[in-house]
Amino acid sequence: MEEIADRLKTVQDKIAAAESARPPANQEEVTLVAISKTHPVDVIQSAIDAGCRAFGENRVQEAGQKWPELKAKTSDVTLHLIGPLQSNKVKEAVALFDVIETVDRKKIAAALAREMEKQDKALRLYVQVNIGMEGQKSGIAPDETVAFVAHCRDDLNLEIEGLMCIPPAGEDPVPYFQNLAKLADEAGVKCRSMGMSGDYELAIANGATSVRVGSAIFGHRAYK
Ligand SMILES: *Cc1c(COP(=O)(O)O)cnc(C)c1O
């Protein structure tokens, strides 16, 4: 488990270096969200012990099995949902998560608005953008993003904190990062969640305000 602390430190150092390499006007602090999907509670606990406080999971059910006990021990942990949200999981997601990064359609936005009111809980919300317009990927189309953010804000009274994207695998991610940053400006939101283990430094150079890093901290994932 010492390994996790070492890898976390390496990632934190690289983030700090990428932050300070940006122009002085853009040196806002970047949040590291450690993506702990598939990893067990004891492994995640070692990252918490090493000082990490923001985590991401991609499945509501898996997070529900791991996080109540972890959060009971460390109350200032922030938990992000980074995978698709289904309507029948909205209630559980609102109860468990602090940030939802995958708001991607009107139905889910409306369900979140209702459920947050019911539970009297204000989650931080990101709209996921299908930045490469890939058929199989979730997310709102780039050219519908500004109108969708306005719909959330004006019709549902939901504050959208930022945009999130996953660029197409195997392509240069930089043009996609730049496009997400531009869309965030146009939509009037301040945060940009982009960059994973393979490209988080590039994402920071191109305007990320948070990065989602899994395998560089926790090692490879063994899917069941
Ligand atoms: C799994 C996942 C990550 C982390 O990927 P790594 O390459 O392991 O860093 C980031 N974002 C999303 C949406 C993911 O599903």
Side-chain angles (χ1 to χ4, degrees):
M1 299 294 169
E2 220 168 276
E3 223 182 336
I4 302 259
D6 288 347
R7 290 203 209 107
L8 181 65
K9 174 83 168 57
T10 301
V11 170
Q12 285 167 334
D13 289 349
K14 287 185 179 175
I15 289 174
E19 272 172 5
S20 52
R22 296 184 305 191
N26 302 334
Q27 289 191 1
E28 49 193 328
E29 206 180 312
V30 173
T31 302
L32 168 60
V33 182
I35 305 303
S36 52
K37 64 190 184 196
T38 78
H39 296 288
V41 165
D42 59 332
V43 170
I44 300 170
Q45 185 63 53
S46 59
I48 295 174
D49 294 343
C52 193
R53 285 296 177 273
F55 291 85
E57 292 279 349
N58 66 334
R59 298 183 58 214
V60 176
Q61 193 183 348
E62 180 187 340
Q65 288 160 359
K66 300 190 303 194
W67 280 92
E69 66 171 293
L70 287 162
K71 279 191 152 194
K73 273 189 240 167
T74 311
S75 60
D76 63 342
V77 159
T78 301
L79 188 59
H80 296 232
L81 178 63
I82 57 150
L85 179 57
Q86 311 303 334
S87 302
N88 62 353
K89 293 277 165 57
V90 165
K91 184 177 175 188
E92 195 182 350
V94 168
L96 184 64
F97 288 90
D98 305 288
V99 185
I100 299 213
E101 298 206 14
T102 52
V103 181
D104 64 352
R105 54 197 192 278
K106 285 184 174 177
K107 190 180 168 202
I108 279 296
L112 281 167
R114 278 194 305 272
E115 191 59 36
M116 291 196 301
E117 170 139 11
K118 216 187 254 174
Q119 295 189 27
D120 194 20
K121 216 183 149 195
L123 273 66
R124 293 160 46 202
L125 303 175
Y126 284 65
V127 167
Q128 181 176 358
V129 182
N130 186 357
I131 201 73
M133 292 184 278
E134 296 171 276
Q136 78 288 8
K137 227 173 237 173
S138 41
I140 203 103
D143 64 357
E144 292 167 14
T145 300
V146 170
F148 181 68
V149 169
H151 165 72
C152 291
R153 186 179 50 221
D154 301 338
D155 303 333
L156 301 173
N157 206 15
L158 284 180
E159 190 191 331
I160 301 296
E161 179 172 301
L163 303 182
M164 177 275 226
C165 76
I166 311 166
E171 282 186 44
D172 176 7
V174 167
Y176 297 104
F177 293 153
Q178 291 174 341
N179 197 22
L180 193 82
K182 184 168 151 270
L183 281 175
D185 287 345
E186 287 169 9
V189 300
K190 64 179 196 300
C191 296
R192 298 167 292 261
S193 170
M194 54 191 197
M196 319 202 302
S197 291
D199 56 19
Y200 63 94
E201 292 159 282
L202 274 175
I204 293 168
N206 289 284
T209 56
S210 64
V211 293
R212 309 178 307 268
V213 179
S215 43
I217 297 169
F218 294 109
H220 286 296
R221 289 180 288 272
Y223 285 98
K224 281 155 256 160

